[in-house]
């Protein structure tokens, strides 16, 4: 008896079948057999199968169906019937098993007595040059584990619906009469659902077991690549209905809910993306098929998928094509705003339709699905929006194309009084080649869209190079009062005509002398270079033969070597070698300072204060600022270098001074001739450095690497002896390294307090007017610390911001400044009363402006205390933060120079009484400053410049 019977199904695949069979015969577990089942192929597949049987007697057996079954289910059923092994596996003729698959899976089954063992499937993209690989839901296979029921891991049931990366005990299949549906696509889904539910034990192993070969460019498309066929969708829905019935019979409502979520975010999305390319009769049938099934899904599932996925499903169920097709555009292009949006009662909705004022469950559900307030569209400026631009007219004659379109104007962001300009831009898809621009003759408001019309004489003005720039993308650049945004043209249902326009390539007309329009795979208008030259097909064939032949191979080989060399030279390892072995051997450039703040994300903090003091004193030096991302807000009178670029590394290697507030890249050694002034970015409440539990538990090598990074500091700024006891000790710094001068960034705060005390009042300055704050309203600054929900993740405010605005809007304006690794989204109802100022690099002007500070554990508390103004601490997660985190150096409750609150109601009460709490906490604020800011005297920047840079006077 074989240990494993591998059932290999095939249909018209004579060429690839031997490779699949060989992957079984070459298994490290030798006692295996191959059962080939041919689905009545029309080519030599069954003959090849019989040849394999003859070549491997006793190891390979071949069978053929009398007529084609139309899908993969029945051949596998026949294979199960002929299998003799203790275990059964399935293999498609165009795929392969990993060499140790049978051994690993049988061993796991024997050890755990599992009915099923499942391993990692790897998708191999055979059409790509490097045969790119991706692992199929790899998070399920991070470790070996055995489940007594699939309900212990719902994601397994929902996401890994393959039958082929699994090994089944044959007795388990026979005893439970487990068979695939006959003549239906997606047969795996039903079979594996039944197997999961019947299995008493399921073992998962982290080993690769199955190679799923993907041939996207194949002439005969696989089922998964024929989603435009209605039969495909009909079968998918029928399989899902059967699984739903199965789950209901077992009373597994939670699994049903999880499967509904997956249908909305995966199965339905695959088919929705094709809708813009289908005709209306197809769409009507698609909607008719979908509506009943969508109505059977859990309504709660809509709240667990991406908003645009839920919106598309809801609009499909309603048959609202006018809103659905634009929504599908956003589904395909994640960041595109394809709807004009609407505002109701302070919330932003995808569309105005379906929003009645009733309180029925249907109305509440519609509002919940269509609500897109939290996506923050209403907060984005025009130049940050990717707007839908629908092509409404296309015509061509005499080498000229005439186009018209409408650009979405969400929430009227482009005002009716704005001065509008636009241009057509033809850009070669291959980067670094040509771009041609044509003016748009008409651009105007038209209801809730921007209408435009243009024409472009391509024959006369578009000059491709030819051969290397065969594809051209088209976009419309819109400018409103000088603010620009770029749009791509969505083709939709518009006819593009069949004509090709003549052009004059710069290289040769033989392989391209005309350009014709087409819709890209994602529905955007593009043009491709074609040839109408007599014999062009033959010439192109010769060129392609040359490309594929020896000359082409030589050219491509040289290109690949050059590309690989570039990749190697720009890799992290190469950059480090370049830094240490070349740049660090160049002479140091005197009077050169590299500044960096918050890993290059900002022009702010103490490095900025030192830089501005040096500029104020007109010193003679070369300033270099590091930036990461957008460099727009960085100084124009300094050299800017992108972080981790080669110019950045060269600048650091040759600089006389480094000045930053966090850390230059850890693996960059500092030269002895370079002086590193570490200004740091705040006093410590949270434990830092070697006081952190994670670093204490690190290996000796990890600790030594961290110490080398800290030892680079030549000078470290402190603002109090608290910093000496905490930060300096945690970083294991020598006392000679410490500069007890305070933080340069805080000079403006200490000086502001001195001015107020001397003059008896303070001037707000221009920032209040820039933010549109009325003179009669006081300003509160809410600046919470970082929340570890993920980089650049949304920070949910811990109080009802609309309730806050309603109660305090006549007295206060609340400025919200999220940590630079978080962002917030504010509802439009609070506009003018609550303002997101997170984009302001430098928090110092905001603190100087604010009449009071609201924070939690952020180090801004130490800075703001210098102003001697009211402070409020909203520590809604105090126990978790203090006891479950990395710990704190002192008890905030004992030292806080203002009230500490824990709930929203306590917070609102404290805001009501904020002005009354000023005097009672005055002594506490003085003690707080004396303990945590004793060296902040408003002279830190001057002291640093005097000590290190004053000799550079002009």
């Amino acid at each position: 008896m074989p240990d494993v019977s591998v059932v290999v199904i095939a249909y018209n695949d004579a060429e690839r079948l031997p490779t699949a069979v060989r992957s079984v015969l070459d298994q490290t577990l030798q006692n295996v057999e191959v059962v080939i089942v041919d689905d009545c192929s029309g080519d030599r597949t069954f003959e090849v199968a019989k040849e394999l049987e003859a070549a491997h007697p006793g190891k390979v057996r071949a069978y053929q169906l009398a007529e084609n079954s139309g899908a993969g289910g029945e051949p596998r059923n026949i294979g199960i019937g002929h299998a003799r092994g203790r275990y059964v596996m399935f293999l498609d003729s165009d795929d392969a098993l990993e060499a140790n698959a049978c051994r690993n899976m049988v061993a796991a089954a024997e050890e755990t007595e599992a009915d099923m063992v499942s391993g990692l499937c790897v998708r191999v993209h055979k059409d790509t040059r490097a045969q790119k690989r991706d692992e199929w839901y790899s998070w399920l296979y991070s470790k070996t584990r055995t489940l007594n029921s699939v309900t212990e891991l719902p994601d397994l049931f929902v996401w890994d619906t393959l039958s082929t990366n699994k090994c089944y005990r044959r007795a388990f299949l026979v005893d439970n009469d487990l068979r695939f549906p006959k003549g239906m696509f997606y047969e795996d889904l039903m079979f594996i659902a039944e197997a999961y539910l019947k299995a008493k034990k399921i073992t998962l192993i982290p080993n690769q077991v199955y190679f799923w070969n993907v041939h996207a460019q194949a002439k005969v498309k696989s089922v998964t690549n024929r989603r435009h066929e209605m039969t495909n969708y009909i079968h998918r829905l029928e399989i899902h209905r059967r699984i739903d019935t199965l789950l209901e019979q077992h009373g597994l409502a939670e699994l049903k809910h999880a499967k509904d979520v997956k249908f909305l975010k995966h199965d339905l999305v695959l088919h929705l993306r094709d809708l813009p390319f289908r005709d209306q009769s197809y769409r009507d049938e698609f909607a008719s098929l979908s509506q009943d099934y969508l109505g059977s899904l859990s309504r709660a599932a809509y709240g667990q998928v991406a908003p645009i996925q839920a919106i598309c499903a809801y609009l499909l169920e309603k048959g609202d094509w006018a809103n659905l097709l634009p929504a599908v555009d956003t589904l395909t292009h994640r960041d595109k705003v394809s709807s004009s949006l609407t505002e109701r009662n302070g919330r932003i909705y995808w569309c105005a339709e379906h929003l009645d004022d009733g309180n029925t469950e249907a109305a509440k559900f519609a509002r919940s699905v269509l609500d897109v307030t939290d996506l923050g569209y209403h907060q984005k400026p025009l130049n940050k929006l990717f707007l839908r631009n629908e092509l409404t007219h296309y015509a061509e004659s005499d080498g000229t194309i005439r186009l018209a379109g409408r650009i979405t104007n969400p929430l009227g962001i482009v005002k009716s009084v704005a001065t509008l300009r636009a241009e057509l831009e033809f850009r070669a898809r291959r980067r670094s080649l040509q771009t041609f621009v044509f003016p748009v003759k008409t651009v105007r408001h038209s209801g809730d869209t921007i209408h435009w019309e243009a024409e472009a004489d391509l024959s006369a003005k578009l000059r491709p190079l030819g051969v290397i720039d065969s594809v051209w993308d088209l976009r419309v650049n819109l400018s409103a009062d000088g603010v620009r945004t770029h749009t791509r043209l969505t083709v939709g249902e518009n006819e593009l005509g069949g004509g090709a326009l003549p052009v004059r390539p710069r290289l040769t007309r033989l392989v391209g002398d005309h350009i014709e329009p087409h819709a890209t795979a994602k529905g955007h208008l593009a043009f491709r270079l074609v040839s109408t030259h007599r014999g062009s097909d033959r010439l192109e064939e010769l060129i392609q033969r040359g490309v594929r032949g020896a000359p082409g191979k030589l050219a491509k080989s040289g290109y690949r070597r050059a590309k690989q060399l570039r990749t190697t030279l720009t890799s992290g390892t190469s950059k480090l070698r370049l830094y240490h072995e070349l740049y660090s051997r160049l002479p140091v450039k005197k009077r050169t300072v590299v500044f960096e703040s918050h890993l290059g994300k900002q022009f702010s903090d103490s490095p900025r204060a030192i830089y501005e003091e040096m500029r104020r004193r007109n010193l003679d030096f070369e300033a270099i600022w590091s930036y990461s991302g957008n460099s727009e807000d960085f100084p124009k009178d300094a050299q800017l270098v992108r972080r981790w670029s080669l110019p950045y590394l060269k600048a650091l290697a040759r600089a006389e001074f480094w000045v930053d507030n966090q850390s230059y890249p850890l693996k960059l050694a500092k030269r002895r001739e370079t002086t590193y002034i570490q200004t740091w970015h705040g006093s410590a409440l949270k434990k830092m450095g070697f006081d952190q539990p994670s670093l204490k538990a690190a290996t000796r090598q990890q600790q030594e690497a961290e110490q080398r990074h800290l030892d680079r500091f030549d000078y470290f700024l402190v603002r109090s002896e608290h910093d000496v006891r905490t930060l300096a000790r945690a970083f294991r710094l020598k006392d000679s390294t410490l500069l007890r001068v305070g933080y340069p960034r805080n000079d403006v705060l200490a000086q502001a307090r001195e001015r107020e005390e001397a003059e008896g009042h303070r001037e707000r300055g221009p920032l209040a007017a820039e933010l549109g704050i009325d003179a009669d309203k006081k300003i509160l600054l809410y600046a919470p610390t970082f929340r570890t929900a993920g980089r650049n993740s949304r920070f949910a405010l811990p109080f009802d911001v609309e309730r806050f605005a309603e109660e305090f809007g006549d007295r206060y304006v609340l400025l919200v400044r999220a940590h630079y690794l978080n962002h917030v989204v504010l509802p439009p109802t609070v506009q003018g009363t609550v303002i997101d100022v997170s984009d302001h690099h430098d928090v110092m002007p905001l603190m100087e402006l604010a009449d009071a500070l609201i924070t939690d554990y952020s180090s801004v508390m130490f800075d703001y205390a210098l102003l001697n103004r009211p402070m409020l601490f909203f520590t809604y997660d105090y126990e978790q933060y203090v006891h479950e985190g990395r710990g704190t150096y002192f008890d905030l409750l004992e030292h806080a120079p203002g009230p500490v609150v824990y709930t929203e109601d306590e917070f609102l009460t404290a805001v009501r009484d904020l002005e009354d709490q000023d005097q009672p906490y005055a002594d506490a604020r003085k003690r707080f400053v004396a303990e945590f800011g004793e060296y902040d005297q408003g002279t830190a920047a001057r002291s640093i410049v005097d000590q290190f840079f004053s000799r550079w006077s002009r």
Side-chain angles (χ1 to χ4, degrees), residues 155-167:
D155 277 358
L156 180 65
F157 181 92
V158 170
W159 292 104
D160 187 0
T161 55
L162 300 178
S163 64
T164 49
N165 60 331
K166 296 170 178 63
C167 179

Side-chain angles (χ1 to χ4, degrees), residues 457-703:
D457 186 353
L458 301 186
S459 297
K461 297 183 180 179
L462 185 67
R463 297 293 309 279
L465 295 172
V467 183
I468 62 173
D469 56 353
S470 59
V471 180
W472 291 76
D473 292 313
L474 177 61
R475 65 184 190 179
V476 174
N477 301 324
L478 174 68
S479 174
D481 288 337
V483 180
R484 286 167 57 93
T485 188
H486 309 291
T487 67
R488 295 288 303 274
L489 270 65
T490 298
V491 176
E493 302 173 69
N494 191 70
E495 291 291 334
L496 294 179
L501 294 88
V503 291
R504 295 180 298 152
R506 300 179 189 274
L507 297 180
T508 175
R509 298 187 184 187
L510 296 179
V511 292
D513 58 358
H514 282 69
I515 195 165
E516 66 178 13
H518 73 282
T520 67
K522 291 190 174 183
H524 286 150
L525 177 61
F527 289 79
R528 57 184 160 225
L529 199 62
V530 296
S531 177
T532 59
H533 193 277
R534 185 176 181 180
S536 61
D537 291 345
R538 174 61 178 162
L539 180 60
E540 185 168 358
E541 181 184 343
L542 291 173
I543 291 175
Q544 291 302 322
R545 187 179 300 173
V547 168
R548 291 191 296 268
K553 288 181 179 177
L554 181 62
K556 284 188 278 190
S557 174
Y559 172 75
R560 282 196 291 267
R561 283 198 298 270
K563 189 175 180 181
Q564 181 60 46
L565 178 61
R566 179 181 178 183
T567 301
T568 301
L569 289 175
T570 56
S571 68
T573 302
S574 295
K575 284 182 176 180
L576 288 173
R577 289 188 61 188
L578 195 64
Y579 173 85
H580 290 109
E581 297 178 16
L582 176 60
Y583 291 156
S584 293
R585 296 182 180 180
L586 297 173
V588 168
K589 291 179 67 176
K590 295 298 183 180
R591 302 194 179 201
T592 300
V593 187
V594 178
F595 296 92
E596 184 172 288
S597 177
H598 294 301
L599 308 179
K601 297 183 186 306
Q602 297 180 357
F603 172 54
S604 66
D605 214 75
S606 292
R608 174 177 180 170
I610 294 171
Y611 167 77
E612 290 179 339
E613 175 67 11
M614 295 172 72
R615 287 297 189 207
R616 187 186 66 78
R617 291 164 66 163
N618 196 30
L619 300 183
D620 182 14
F621 71 106
E622 181 180 352
I624 301 171
W625 267 94
S626 154
Y627 72 93
S628 174
N630 193 333
S631 64
E632 182 179 342
D633 294 325
F634 283 78
K636 302 299 184 287
D637 57 353
Q639 179 187 347
L640 305 184
V641 292
R642 185 181 295 277
R643 200 171 196 269
W644 258 116
S645 66
L646 295 182
Y648 171 80
L649 297 178
K650 187 175 182 181
L652 283 176
R654 303 196 64 190
E656 186 176 357
F657 281 88
W658 292 359
V659 179
D660 94 310
N661 67 350
Q662 196 157 340
S663 175
Y664 289 108
L666 304 186
K667 294 183 180 180
L668 300 183
K670 183 188 70 68
R671 299 171 68 169
R672 284 178 296 180
E673 304 97 317
T674 300
T675 300
Y676 189 169
I677 302 175
Q678 174 56 257
T679 69
W680 204 239
H681 53 275
S683 297
L685 169 62
K686 305 177 284 277
K687 290 190 176 181
M688 304 291 292
F690 287 95
D691 289 340
Q692 295 181 76
S694 59
L695 198 49
K696 287 181 178 179
T699 64
R700 189 173 72 176
Q701 291 83 357
Q702 290 170 326
Q703 291 185 353

Side-chain angles (χ1 to χ4, degrees), residues 249-301:
Q249 290 171 350
H250 284 76
L252 297 173
E254 290 186 9
L255 269 187
K256 166 70 164 57
H257 170 78
K259 193 196 74 66
D260 290 348
V261 171
K262 189 246 187 174
F263 182 84
L264 290 175
K265 68 164 48 175
H266 176 73
D267 299 80
L268 182 61
V269 166
L270 293 175
H271 294 269
L272 283 172
R273 288 175 175 153
D274 281 331
L275 287 182
F277 305 102
R278 308 278 81 85
D279 59 27
Q280 193 56 48
S281 62
Y282 180 98
R283 294 173 188 168
D284 291 340
E285 184 179 0
F286 184 84
S288 177
L289 290 168
S290 302
Q291 284 163 352
D292 285 344
Y293 186 70
L294 289 173
S296 72
L297 300 185
S298 162
R299 287 316 199 196

Side-chain angles (χ1 to χ4, degrees), residues 92 126 194 200 309 314 342 422 494 781 812 862 880:
D92 291 348
K126 303 296 283 188
E194 291 187 293
K200 294 179 181 178
Q309 295 169 348
Y314 177 80
T342 188
N494 191 70
L781 173 63
Y812 294 123
F862 301 106
Q880 176 185 353

Side-chain angles (χ1 to χ4, degrees), residues 190-233:
M190 188 67 201
F191 173 84
I192 204 63
E194 291 187 293
Y196 278 144
L197 295 177
K198 294 285 181 64
K200 294 179 181 178
K201 280 188 180 181
I202 304 168
T203 295
L204 309 183
I205 61 174
N207 308 79
Q208 294 182 359
V209 298
Y210 194 89
F211 297 123
W212 174 1
N213 295 326
V214 181
H215 301 271
Q217 305 300 324
K219 291 181 179 179
V220 179
K221 301 293 185 183
S222 66
V223 171
T224 52
N225 286 321
R226 302 203 307 268
R227 288 187 291 269
H228 59 283
E229 298 176 2
M230 190 59 72
T231 301
N232 188 303
Y233 188 56

Side-chain angles (χ1 to χ4, degrees), residues 378-510:
H378 58 286
Q379 289 184 271
K380 293 184 179 180
L382 178 64
N383 61 347
K384 297 292 179 66
L385 289 172
F386 177 24
L387 301 178
R388 173 178 167 90
N389 187 351
E390 182 182 4
L391 184 68
T392 57
H393 173 76
Y394 180 90
E396 53 195 34
S397 63
D398 300 326
T400 297
I401 60 170
R402 294 174 179 83
L403 311 97
R406 51 175 173 254
I407 301 173
T408 301
N409 186 19
L411 300 171
I413 188 170
V414 179
K415 305 302 180 187
S416 58
V417 295
T419 301
L420 302 180
R421 292 186 177 83
E423 63 184 17
L424 285 177
E425 180 184 287
F426 285 78
R427 173 178 292 186
R429 183 167 297 176
R430 181 168 290 182
R431 291 180 297 176
S432 303
L433 295 180
Q434 302 181 95
T435 296
F436 294 90
V437 175
F438 299 85
V440 171
K441 65 179 182 179
T442 301
V443 56
R444 56 180 170 77
H445 276 83
S446 178
D448 56 3
T449 62
I450 306 297
H451 175 79
W452 60 270
E453 298 174 11
E455 61 181 44
D457 186 353
L458 301 186
S459 297
K461 297 183 180 179
L462 185 67
R463 297 293 309 279
L465 295 172
V467 183
I468 62 173
D469 56 353
S470 59
V471 180
W472 291 76
D473 292 313
L474 177 61
R475 65 184 190 179
V476 174
N477 301 324
L478 174 68
S479 174
D481 288 337
V483 180
R484 286 167 57 93
T485 188
H486 309 291
T487 67
R488 295 288 303 274
L489 270 65
T490 298
V491 176
E493 302 173 69
N494 191 70
E495 291 291 334
L496 294 179
L501 294 88
V503 291
R504 295 180 298 152
R506 300 179 189 274
L507 297 180
T508 175
R509 298 187 184 187
L510 296 179

